[in-house]
Amino acid sequence: MAKSVKHILKQELEIKVGGKLWLESEGERFFGPGPMELLEKIEETGSISNAARAMNMSYKKAWELINHLNTQTNFPVVVPQAGGEKGGGSTLTAEAIELIEYYKALRKRFKTFLENETERLKI
Amino acid sequence: MAKSVKHILKQELEIKVGGKLWLESEGERFFGPGPMELLEKIEETGSISNAARAMNMSYKKAWELINHLNTQTNFPVVVPQAGGEKGGGSTLTAEAIELIEYYKALRKRFKTFLENETERLKI
DNA sequence: TAGCGTTATATTTTCAAATATATAACGATG
DNA sequence: CATCGTTATATATTTGAAAATATAACGCTA
C-alpha cells in the first residue's frame, strides 16, 4: 500500500504537488518555461529585444538563452538579422516551432502527472 | 502521433528531461528536496544546527524551512528542545518519518516519469 | 549617406537572497 | 549554580545573479 500523508497535512490549505520541467545537456539546463515563453514571444513580436521587453526580461539574458539553445540543436532555432527593415529582427525556424509543440505536449503530460499526484494527497 | 524532437537536438549530447518536485500551499512551496534532506539530516544528527552544518546551510535558513513546514501540518513534524542534555536538540515525529517515506515514493514515481520522457527524446 | 532599431558584446550597477554575526533563553548535568 | 550546545530571533554583511547601461556593427530605407 502506498504511503499516505492526508492525516499529516492540513486539509484546509489546498495543498498541491508542484513542479518544473526542463531539457538538460551535460547537467546544464537549456530549455524550460523561460526559453519556451521567449520563443513564443519572439514569434509574436518579431525580435529578441521586443520579446524580452514583453516578458520583462533583460535583452542580455534573452540573448544568452537563445544563444545557448542554438548550441544544443543541429541547426539554429532562432535566426537573427542585425540591420535591415525596421532595424532587423529574429525569426523562428521550423525546428523552433516543433520544439514548442513538443514542449507543449510534454507540459501536458507533466500536468497530468502533477494532478494525479495532487489527487493522491487526498486519499 | 506524438511530436518528436530527435532530429532537432544534437544526439551526441546526452540530453535528458530533468525536473523538480515540491509540495505547495497557496502557491508557496514548503516541502521539496531541501527540506527533505534537512529532515533526514536532523534525524541523523539530532539537531537543526548540526543538520544545517552537515549540508552547508545556514542555521537561520534551516530553522525557517522547519518552521514553515510545521505550519503546514496538523502537528509539528520537528520537535525542538532548547536546553537540556547536550544543550538540546530536535527530534522528528512519526509524521515526519511518514512525510519522508511519502516523498521518497513520490520521487521514485517522478524518476520513472523523467526516464520515460528522456527515452521518448530518442524516438 | 543619414537614420532607424536591431543584434552582439562588455562593463557597471542594483538588489534580493543568503550567509554571517550577535544575543537571550532554555534545561539537564556535574 | 556555572557550563554546555541547543533553539529562537534580530541585525549586519556578503555575494552572486540579474538588470541596467553603453557601444559598435549591421543592413534596409528614404
Side-chain angles (χ1 to χ4, degrees), chain B residues 34-54:
Chain B
M36 167 70 173
E37 188 183 348
L38 189 55
L39 285 190
E40 291 179 321
K41 288 276 192 293
I42 290 172
E43 196 186 20
E44 281 171 38
T45 66
S47 78
I48 297 176
S49 64
N50 279 335
R53 241 190 309 279

Side-chain angles (χ1 to χ4, degrees), chain A residues 32-87:
Chain A
M36 168 70 173
E37 188 182 348
L38 189 56
L39 285 189
E40 291 179 321
K41 288 276 192 294
I42 290 172
E43 195 186 20
E44 281 172 40
T45 66
S47 77
I48 296 175
S49 64
N50 279 335
R53 243 190 308 281
M55 57 190 289
N56 267 60
M57 179 185 284
S58 70
Y59 172 79
K60 181 186 164 77
K61 186 179 175 187
W63 184 86
E64 283 171 346
L65 286 180
I66 296 300
N67 196 245
H68 190 197
L69 179 53
N70 274 338
T71 68
Q72 308 298 312
T73 53
N74 292 315
F75 299 99
V77 292
V78 175
V79 178
Q81 187 193 348
E85 196 179 323
K86 299 205 64 177

Side-chain angles (χ1 to χ4, degrees), chain B residues 65-96:
Chain B
L65 286 179
I66 295 302
N67 196 245
H68 189 197
L69 179 55
N70 274 338
T71 68
Q72 307 300 312
T73 53
N74 291 315
F75 299 100
V77 293
V78 174
V79 178
Q81 186 191 349
E85 196 178 322
K86 297 207 66 177
S90 288
T91 53
L92 302 192
T93 63
E95 283 74 23

